[in-house]
Structure formats: C-alpha cells, structure tokens
Amino acid sequence: MLTVHIIDHPLVQHKMAIIRDVSTGPKEFRELVDEVALLMAYEVTRDMALEDVEIETPMGKAQCRMISGKKIGVIPILRAGLGMVNGILQLIPAAKVGHIGLYRDPESLQPVEYYCKLPTDIGERDLIVLDPMLATGGSAVAAIRFIKEKGGKNIKLMVLIAAPEGIAAVQAAHPDVEIFTAAVDERLNEFGYIVPGLGDAGDRLFGTK
Ligand code: PRP
Ligand code: URA
C-alpha cells in the first residue's frame, strides 16, 4: 500500500488555517485554494523524471537537467476540484485537463456521475486527480475507477483535507494511488462532513450558500 503524504510546509499550513476560517469569504477562499494547490503540486510532482541536457549560457556550456518523459494530466472532480486547477496550471502550463462531474447524494452519500471528459491520451500521462475534500471517499473512489476504465494508469490524488475514513476507502479500492493532503482531520459527522474540516468546499468556493 502506498503512503499518504501530508504536506506540512509552513506556507501550506498557514494558508490552510485561513481557508478553514468560517469568516473567510469566497474571493479570499478561492485565492488561497489556488495558492495551496500550486504549493502542493510542487510536492506531488517531486518524482518527475529528468534528463540531462546541455545548455548554452552567455558564458559557455552548462550541463543541466530538464523534465523528460511522461506528460501530466490534471482531473478535477466537479465542482469543488475546479478550484485547484489554476494553481497547478501555473506550475505546469502544458498539462491537459480532464473533468469528472460527480455529486454526492445527500441521503445515501453515494457519488452520482453527471459528466466525464478526459484527454484521449490519458494512458500516456501521469494523472493528478483534484478534489479539496476526501470525506467518505466515495467520490474519489468512483472518479479513479472511471479514469482507470478509460485507460488511466499512473494516478495520484491531491486533496486539501482528508478524513481517515476517506483515506481508508481509497487505499482499499485503489492501493496503487498515492494520496497527497494538507491535513488529516479527526472524523466525519453524521452528514458525512469532515470535522473540523472547512464546511462545504463547493459552496465556499463559488458562494452558493
Ligand atoms: C464534495 C467534495 C467531494 C465530495 C467528498 O463534493 O468536493 O467531491 O463532496 O465527499 P466524499 O468523499 O464523501 O465523496 P459535493 O458532492 O458536495 O459536490 P460539489 O463539489 O459539486 O459541491
Ligand atoms: N464535501 C465537502 O465539501 N465538505 C465536507 O466536509 C465533506 C464533503
């Protein structure tokens, strides 16, 4: 089973504190989610392969290294995952973006799919699935299953806050998928919300509540 990476960089932790704060409005919330996604992407992509290249500087030749091999695909789970896309694209502008639309049925807490559009060369890309919240894990487990059914192989999951239940669900269903999170919270409440969490990520991003 692969590790869960907790990104404990001070900048990430500082920004997460403000993101969680109930008094943070949608504009600041969006900006901070963007920034945390960018900072986390730095860690998520740490194992990208490099190749040796020779570069001509104004002073002579330098032996350098540049990223080689596989390309990246980022796949936000709609809707809240959208808030993490721009941060990653600032670091990796050539990444292709797929979308999976899922919402969690409020009664059953089961994920319901309503949209799926993925890059055609998905099998040749390193894929990063984005969602701020990993609660029961139902949405992430289903999204990763769709991606695998369409040919995706190298998949990482990047979330802002994970509940222990969600981590266990992803690890049980997809033991090959590494999870990156800025926090592992205490538990879920009776409505499947992460406690203390940050509330409803989609509503806070888009101001719908
Ligand atoms: C939220 C969140 C995750 C899901 C997590 O989405 O963004 O996708 O819940 O819960 P789970 O781990 O129990 O599946 P939601 O269903 O509220 O949809 P939204 O992003 O459209 O608001
Ligand atoms: N979805 C959210 O947006 N927040 C939670 O705490 C759980 C699921």
Side-chain angles (χ1 to χ4, degrees):
M1 188 164 302
L2 294 171
T3 344
V4 177
H5 303 266
I6 300 170
I7 312 295
D8 60 357
H9 191 288
L11 283 172
V12 170
Q13 293 304 315
H14 177 87
K15 289 173 194 292
M16 283 302 299
I18 307 171
I19 285 174
R20 285 178 186 271
D21 191 326
V22 66
S23 65
T24 299
K27 177 175 181 290
E28 199 183 358
F29 188 92
R30 270 195 301 273
E31 289 167 357
L32 286 161
V33 169
D34 223 38
E35 290 169 13
V36 169
L38 183 150
L39 292 166
M40 288 183 71
Y42 184 78
E43 282 301 326
V44 175
T45 55
R46 181 173 279 285
D47 63 353
M48 284 172 96
L50 292 169
E51 63 187 1
D52 294 330
V53 292
E54 190 174 84
I55 297 288
E56 189 80 37
T57 81
M59 309 301 290
K61 291 187 193 313
Q63 304 309 317
C64 302
R65 294 189 300 162
M66 293 182 85
I67 289 164
S68 73
K70 290 224 197 82
K71 296 174 243 156
I72 302 278
V74 294
I75 306 177
I77 302 178
L78 306 181
R79 126 197 97 132
L82 285 175
M84 299 168 77
V85 173
N86 281 345
I88 303 218
L89 290 182
Q90 282 179 59
L91 268 195
I92 316 166
K96 286 203 176 159
V97 184
H99 295 87
I100 292 186
L102 287 176
Y103 70 86
R104 200 172 66 153
D105 181 88
E107 299 293 320
S108 67
L109 299 184
Q110 290 307 303
V112 182
E113 186 201 353
Y114 61 89
Y115 188 77
C116 184
K117 180 82 180 169
L118 300 173
T120 48
D121 59 352
I122 194 172
E124 292 148 37
R125 291 181 177 266
D126 285 335
L127 302 171
I128 308 171
V129 177
L130 306 175
D131 196 329
M133 310 304 278
L134 178 62
T136 65
S139 306
V141 166
I144 294 167
R145 190 174 66 241
F146 295 144
I147 293 166
K148 287 181 173 174
E149 283 167 5
K150 306 260 182 193
K153 292 185 202 88
N154 298 302
I155 303 168
K156 291 174 178 168
L157 173 64
M158 177 172 148
V159 304
L160 300 189
I161 304 179
E165 295 89 334
I167 291 173
V170 171
Q171 287 186 326
H174 303 293
D176 55 311
V177 172
E178 276 181 282
I179 302 171
F180 292 77
T181 184
V184 178
D185 273 14
E186 219 176 288
R187 63 184 173 90
L188 297 178
N189 71 9
E190 65 271 38
F191 307 108
Y193 275 81
I194 299 177
V195 180
L198 53 71
D200 189 300
D203 285 342
R204 293 201 62 190
L205 271 168
F206 299 112
T208 41
K209 211 175 229 171

